Amino acid sequence: EVQLVESGGGLVQPGGSLRLSCAASGFTVSSNYMSWVRQAPGKGLEWVSILYSGGTTYYADSVRGRFTISRDNSKNTLYLQMNNLRAEDTAVYFCARDQSYSSAWHFWGQGTLVTVSS
Amino acid sequence: DIQMTQSPSTLSASVGDRVTITCRASQSISTWLAWYQQKPGKAPKLLMYKASSLENGVPSKFSGSGSGTQFTLTINSLQPDDFATYYCQQYNSYPYTFGQGTKLEIK
């Protein structure tokens, strides 16, 4: 069974850093396209970043240069390193996975809340 | 960036009704469109991918159609569990973008 479990969220001051983790089970992270999607409180969904199986990465303009997506194959875990955090980064962050026949997000974690506030 | 516009933003309906949600893309996305259902405090759940393909395990009361810039999600015979927020999302090109959401409420 595919499972995605995010962790690492919390309260951080503006300008601070945080690293989110997404522990995967039931499949191999390095064999799939893995994404981060966020949702600000009471707002809609926003794509953040994607990591291809081959290592290519893409970012939303709002986070490029501040966030870095990566994975640890030995831990079968996806990461999102978030630096220079801003109040507008406050959101629930979800990791999501595609399917071999579709680039839509077929599997989602439960999300982890990041709050950027002084 | 491709803008995705959903209508309506809020939809009031009764149990047993059939409803349709529309999603328009600001440029052609072929059929690279997904529909998600989200309930409060939960992760989104994929309903449809490639505009009209039903995700495994999703009941056939849900259907999707469209191509290019115009898409629809139809839900037949609404049940209490269907009242949620629905999002369309394009995955034709980066940045992937979502519609603003349609909240389906019980009338």
Side-chain angles (χ1 to χ4, degrees):
Chain A
E1 180 193 5
V2 171
Q3 282 199 330
L4 297 167
V5 179
E6 300 94 335
S7 61
L11 175 63
V12 60
Q13 292 188 337
S17 298
L18 213 54
R19 189 179 79 160
L20 305 183
S21 300
C22 172
S25 57
F27 73 101
T28 303
V29 164
S30 61
S31 298
N32 290 90
Y33 290 8
M34 300 293 300
S35 291
W36 288 97
V37 177
R38 69 184 180 182
Q39 186 170 38
K43 302 297 183 182
L45 298 164
E46 180 188 19
W47 169 76
V48 172
S49 181
I50 189 168
L51 173 59
Y52 285 4
S53 52
T56 299
T57 59
Y58 291 94
Y59 298 91
D61 287 347
S62 57
V63 306
R64 188 178 296 112
R66 300 187 299 123
F67 290 12
T68 302
I69 191 171
S70 65
R71 65 187 179 224
D72 184 330
N73 295 343
S74 66
K75 295 182 179 179
N76 207 33
T77 297
L78 178 74
Y79 299 103
L80 186 68
Q81 177 67 43
M82 304 185 295
N83 298 330
N84 191 21
L85 283 160
R86 306 167 180 168
E88 55 265 35
D89 296 319
T90 294
V92 175
Y93 286 74
F94 299 98
C95 64
R97 199 208 95 172
D98 72 338
Q99 192 60 291
S100 59
Y101 50 83
S102 163
S103 297
W105 294 306
H106 292 250
F107 304 96
W108 294 72
Q110 83 289 350
T112 187
L113 176 62
V114 172
T115 303
V116 184
S117 175
S118 54
Chain B
D1 297 2
I2 298 175
Q3 308 303 317
M4 305 300 292
T5 304
Q6 284 181 238
S7 60
S9 295
T10 305
L11 182 55
S12 295
S14 302
V15 171
D17 283 355
R18 176 189 188 207
V19 297
T20 297
I21 300 169
T22 298
C23 179
R24 286 188 177 87
S26 60
Q27 63 190 74
S28 178
I29 58 170
S30 183
T31 55
W32 303 116
L33 184 100
W35 288 97
Y36 300 89
Q37 177 195 67
Q38 188 180 32
K39 296 179 179 179
K42 300 294 187 181
K45 173 187 175 183
L46 180 66
L47 300 175
M48 312 291 305
Y49 62 95
K50 211 164 184 300
S52 60
S53 295
L54 190 67
E55 171 67 337
N56 290 338
V58 174
S60 58
K61 62 189 292 183
F62 293 92
S63 63
S65 66
S67 66
T69 62
Q70 289 261 94
F71 303 88
T72 60
L73 173 71
T74 299
I75 312 171
N76 289 307
S77 187
L78 281 173
Q79 296 302 306
D81 189 53
D82 300 328
F83 292 92
T85 300
Y86 293 83
Y87 294 93
C88 62
Q89 176 242 334
Q90 67 82 17
Y91 51 101
N92 177 78
S93 62
Y94 296 112
Y96 289 170
T97 47
F98 291 88
Q100 79 279 14
T102 295
K103 186 174 183 179
L104 180 55
E105 299 179 329
I106 299 178
K107 186 184 290 184

